[in-house]
Amino acid sequence: MQGKLAADNIEMDANDLDAPEERGQDDQGDNEQLNEAEDHQDEADNDQIDKTDKAITKQQALQQQQRAKNELDGDKLSEKDDEAMQDEQPEIDLVQDYQEFLERRKEVQLAEERNEAERMEVD
Amino acid sequence: MARPDDQEFDYNLEKVQVRALFEEWRSNEEGAQAAMELLSRFKAETSESSASLCEQLRIVLEPQLSQQLQGDFKTGKRLNMKKVISFIASHYRNDKIWLRRTLPSKRDYKILIAIDDSLSMKEQNLGFFSLEAMVTLVEALNRLEVGKVAVARIRDRMELLQSFEDNYSNERTAFIVSQYEFQHSAQNSHDFAMANFMRDANKLLDLQNASSQLQGAMSCPFTIILSDGRFNKANALKYIQEAQEKRYLYIFVILDAAAKTPKDQKAGRNTTGSSILNLRSAVKSEDGTGMKIMPYLKDFPFAYYCIVSDLRELPNALAAILVQWFAMI
């Protein structure tokens, strides 16, 4: 087991001890890889941002929609409230009013007749 | 529906507006139902008065149009087939075989009924009373087949609710009943409402007169106004004089149910002060130096008016005025 580890170390060391030119090539390769990785990362980040933006936009749209709905519901509710208020207001029942008017008139006529009779008695 | 006061009365426009209003009213089933119920109550309450009025008017308003074919004439409109046999049998000597329209049997009057729809009517407790009077009139005139009847309300001017071309029906009468609110009150309505109404009514009667003359019929349009009688007399005088010159009859029915309540009666309080008979107005004295107080009705501008405090008085009062009027013309 120790022997294998030692061999790995040797291999690693051997890689580290590359010639400068080769190292430059390797560096370039590494840079390209890095750039690619960065590009990927950027793309991923951008995608993420886009997704987040979209999500935010969607959320905002939903919120706006919800707000509009609430307002509409509110209006409806206020309309309902108004209607309820109107319902609560006493409706003018003309038939009932007329009935009362007739009763009142009858009472007046009776009272007049009574007064007349009393006056006759006094005379 | 309301038009500016100074706009000329347009009968055709009024008719269109009334029809639209009627259709709108019919679409509201609940309101229409309530109005029909109210009308049936009015009819039940006024049936006696309307029957009495109908019989009184049957005597006063004579038929004008001849419809039935009668008589034995040498010339005429139609052959009397029963006479044709005797005509032939008599060797063509009994030649009075023709029928003519001689006796008038149909009435063709044009009557405008107008009710004051102002707030003062409500204040005088005359709303239901005036509607009862209107239903009495409409029912009696319809039963008599008097001709054509138009109904209007008086607000800032005349507003038609039924034109002369509209036929009588229960539904239409209920619509008319539902159109009065007795709440109209404008800044100048006391001063100008009656004057504006008279101007519009004169115009309407002019139109009816002209159309009757074109048809060669005898025209006798007249107007019945139901009101509490409280208006600016000086402003209306000009149009009343115009109507007199044109020989248009305006019958002004002053509704005067003195506002008495049972409580007042029990307390023995005299509430007849609100009666128009006790109303006084201030006028300039003849020498122009001061003012004097005189009864409101002393210079009432309508020549034919009656004061009605009970619906049962209406038939006699109207008949008496009409007898006077027809005796004069």
Side-chain angles (χ1 to χ4, degrees):
Chain A
M1 184 78 184
Q2 277 182 352
K4 201 188 172 188
L5 280 172
D8 286 341
N9 285 334
I10 291 163
E11 271 183 25
M12 278 176 73
D13 291 341
N15 282 334
D16 289 341
L17 292 171
D18 277 344
E21 286 175 7
E22 283 176 5
R23 207 188 289 163
Q25 283 176 353
D26 286 345
D27 285 345
Q28 204 177 347
D30 288 344
N31 285 339
E32 280 174 6
Q33 279 180 347
L34 275 169
N35 285 338
E36 276 179 15
E38 276 175 8
D39 287 345
H40 281 297
Q41 187 64 38
D42 284 346
E43 277 176 15
D45 287 345
N46 286 338
D47 285 348
Q48 188 62 37
I49 289 164
D50 283 346
K51 277 180 187 171
T52 316
D53 281 349
K54 277 180 186 171
I56 290 166
T57 317
K58 203 175 176 182
Q59 200 176 355
Q60 280 177 343
L62 277 169
Q63 280 175 350
Q64 212 169 344
Q65 210 174 348
Q66 187 65 34
R67 215 175 296 132
K69 199 183 168 190
N70 287 344
E71 279 174 11
L72 199 70
D73 287 347
D75 286 347
K76 277 182 186 170
L77 279 172
S78 62
E79 275 176 16
K80 276 181 186 173
D81 286 349
D82 287 348
E83 280 173 11
M85 287 271 282
Q86 281 176 357
D87 286 344
E88 280 171 19
Q89 283 173 356
E91 274 186 27
I92 302 164
D93 187 352
L94 285 173
V95 179
Q96 182 68 30
D97 277 5
Y98 183 56
Q99 191 61 40
E100 284 170 14
F101 169 79
L102 290 177
E103 282 166 15
R104 214 161 48 235
R105 189 162 65 182
K106 208 170 184 179
E107 279 180 45
V108 170
Q109 280 170 357
L110 283 172
E112 271 179 0
E113 282 169 15
R114 219 176 297 131
N115 283 349
E116 190 67 27
E118 280 172 15
R119 213 175 297 135
M120 292 281 277
E121 276 177 25
V122 170
D123 289 341
Chain B
M1 178 142 174
R3 287 173 289 111
D5 298 349
D6 53 348
Q7 196 180 322
E8 200 177 332
F9 178 75
D10 187 340
Y11 183 50
N12 290 325
L13 182 67
E14 286 277 330
K15 279 198 286 187
V16 171
Q17 284 177 339
V18 168
R19 275 169 203 161
L21 198 66
F22 180 56
E23 290 305 321
E24 192 187 324
W25 175 83
R26 278 171 89 175
S27 64
N28 177 10
E29 283 180 17
E30 209 176 314
Q33 193 69 34
M36 291 291 277
E37 198 182 333
L38 185 62
L39 176 66
S40 67
R41 295 284 181 97
F42 279 138
K43 276 187 175 182
E45 198 61 30
T46 60
S47 59
E48 207 177 305
S49 301
S50 62
S52 166
L53 180 62
C54 176
E55 293 315 310
Q56 300 246 23
L57 294 181
R58 197 183 295 281
I59 302 161
V60 179
L61 300 176
E62 288 175 0
Q64 301 148 301
L65 294 178
S66 307
Q67 274 201 318
Q68 287 178 338
L69 290 155
Q70 286 178 330
D72 309 312
F73 299 97
K74 284 191 176 181
T75 58
K77 187 84 177 170
R78 202 170 291 170
L79 271 174
N80 185 350
M81 293 310 287
K82 286 177 189 167
K83 300 270 178 175
V84 172
I85 298 160
S86 67
F87 174 58
I88 297 165
S90 67
H91 296 280
Y92 310 105
R93 273 184 293 173
N94 295 339
D95 57 352
K96 291 181 177 177
I97 55 169
W98 290 93
L99 298 169
R100 282 186 195 170
R101 293 185 204 277
T102 49
L103 284 175
S105 59
K106 197 185 173 192
R107 294 169 179 85
D108 188 31
Y109 294 91
K110 287 178 179 172
I111 301 167
L112 171 66
I113 300 169
I115 304 184
D116 187 354
D117 193 28
S118 65
L119 185 64
S120 67
M121 292 285 282
K122 195 178 184 182
E123 287 169 351
Q124 300 293 325
N125 203 18
L126 294 171
F128 284 127
F129 185 33
S130 62
L131 291 178
E132 278 180 346
M134 188 270 288
V135 171
T136 307
L137 279 168
V138 170
E139 288 295 309
L141 296 174
N142 175 56
R143 203 177 297 176
L144 188 60
E145 294 180 347
V146 77
K148 291 169 182 170
V149 178
V151 184
R153 65 182 174 200
I154 306 169
R155 287 192 170 176
D156 284 330
R157 59 184 303 168
M158 181 166 79
E159 292 179 10
L160 272 187
L161 297 173
Q162 177 179 303
S163 71
F164 286 115
E165 283 74 24
D166 294 326
N167 292 325
Y168 168 87
S169 71
N170 263 343
E171 201 179 21
R172 192 165 281 280
T173 314
F175 160 72
I176 294 166
V177 164
S178 70
Q179 295 304 304
Y180 291 96
E181 293 167 356
F182 304 107
Q183 285 185 336
H184 181 73
S185 175
Q187 199 179 356
N188 295 324
S189 64
H190 175 78
D191 286 332
F192 295 106
M194 190 54 71
N196 291 338
F197 163 76
M198 286 299 298
R199 182 195 61 202
D200 291 347
N202 281 345
K203 178 89 181 166
L204 178 61
L205 297 186
D206 285 345
L207 285 170
Q208 295 308 313
N209 239 354
S211 67
S212 295
Q213 279 168 4
L214 276 176
Q215 291 164 4
M218 181 190 163
S219 173
C220 274
F222 64 91
T223 305
I224 300 169
I225 304 168
L226 303 168
S227 169
D228 59 354
R230 289 156 171 86
F231 59 91
N232 188 317
K233 293 178 279 187
N235 288 341
L237 190 62
K238 176 185 158 189
Y239 298 106
I240 294 168
Q241 283 171 347
E242 183 194 324
Q244 281 169 352
E245 282 164 20
K246 291 178 177 173
R247 300 177 73 83
Y248 294 152
L249 171 62
Y250 281 85
I251 301 172
F252 202 105
V253 180
I254 301 174
L255 302 171
D256 190 41
K260 286 181 189 173
T261 63
K263 281 179 187 172
D264 293 324
Q265 286 287 329
K266 280 172 194 165
R269 255 176 271 162
N270 182 16
T271 51
T272 50
S274 60
S275 167
I276 198 161
L277 293 166
N278 298 330
L279 203 64
R280 310 214 167 257
S281 54
V283 288
K284 274 184 185 174
S285 57
E286 282 161 14
D287 53 3
T289 52
M291 302 290 284
K292 63 176 182 181
I293 305 292
M294 56 187 271
Y296 176 80
L297 288 175
K298 194 171 180 185
D299 60 345
F300 198 68
F302 286 90
Y304 294 91
Y305 71 90
C306 55
I307 301 166
V308 174
S309 57
D310 190 322
L311 203 61
R312 287 169 293 188
E313 297 167 4
L314 185 67
N316 286 335
L318 271 183
I321 289 178
L322 284 169
V323 165
Q324 275 183 47
W325 170 255
F326 284 109
M328 211 180 76
I329 61 168

